[in-house]
Amino acid sequence: MKFTKYHGLGNDFILIDNLSSPQPLLSPDDAVKLCDRHFGIGADGVIFALPSDNSNDYSMRIFNSDGSEPEMCGNGIRCFAQFITELEGIEKVGKTYGINTLAGVISPTIQGHGQVKVDMGEPQLLAQQIPTTLAEKDEKVINKLLVVNNQEYFVSCVSMGNPHCLVFVDNIDSIDLSSIGSLFECHSCFPQKTNTEFIQVINSHYLKMKVWERGAGITLACGTGACATVVAGVLNNKCERKTTVELPGGCLDIEWCEKDNHIYMTGPATKVFVGEVDI
């Protein structure tokens, strides 16, 4: 099977041309093997470019490195958009695609020079939409107390089609993600588990963030997490609606547009290599 490797700020993916079938050509177990960084290709996930089953251009499915399937992936959909231009044989600057995902239709626009701007849609803020039990179903989860490993954290929750738990801290370098990330992900108050972002405010237009991704663990970047970070920052009066988010792998420009309530994410998608693998 042929594949192409892309990354978005170090959040890396194996891209598969799956246009011949409406179902992924690989199983979740296959994805686990391919994502292994010692015995496989190495990646945070496998992304399948599938034909659309409606009036949109394509469909996208993802298997994480642990075999689970997330609803959406912000860095992944930028890589997906660049991969589609490769399959089509031309980079159409200004072209906007309609992509079916498990989180709904997402619309990336090719900016040229490896940059992709994505209309990520509206953030979901009610507890039942996250989902989480940290508040009543029809309430927002803003600066709520969460106890993890006998330590108190004040968290906010946002869904970008997938769940995010956001924690503002004075210094993100003091956070040991490897020891507490999975405790947040699997906390009983998140029935579908959660992504977790720790955020340091540099100024009202610049945030630093590091992330533990549901199903993948520590990654160098998370696009939906960067979007959720700005939403939480605005709701907690810590940043402006147009803000740069610095992740371990680089920066994303995020705007929560007041006019239409949509989140717009702009950042790179970089092709690394192509190859073939025996399945």
Side-chain angles (χ1 to χ4, degrees), residues 8 24 47 59 61 77 80 91 97 126 129 134-135 144 149 151 184 226 233 266 270 279:
I47 296 178
S59 294
R61 298 273 300 274
I77 201 162
F80 182 95
E91 183 177 74
Y97 294 99
L126 301 183
Q129 297 172 322
L134 283 173
K144 296 287 187 180
N149 200 28
Q151 185 169 345
F184 274 84
T266 303
T270 304
I279 298 297

Side-chain angles (χ1 to χ4, degrees), residues 60 72-81 99 101 106 108 118 265:
M60 180 176 84
M72 227 289 287
C73 176
N75 289 316
I77 201 162
R78 295 200 316 276
C79 294
F80 182 95
I99 309 299
T101 75
I106 306 295
V118 185
M265 170 189 64

Side-chain angles (χ1 to χ4, degrees), residues 201-207 238-243:
V201 178
I202 304 303
N203 58 54
S204 63
H205 291 278
Y206 199 97
L207 306 175
K238 293 183 180 294
C239 74
E240 301 297 325
R241 284 178 169 263
K242 193 171 185 179
T243 297

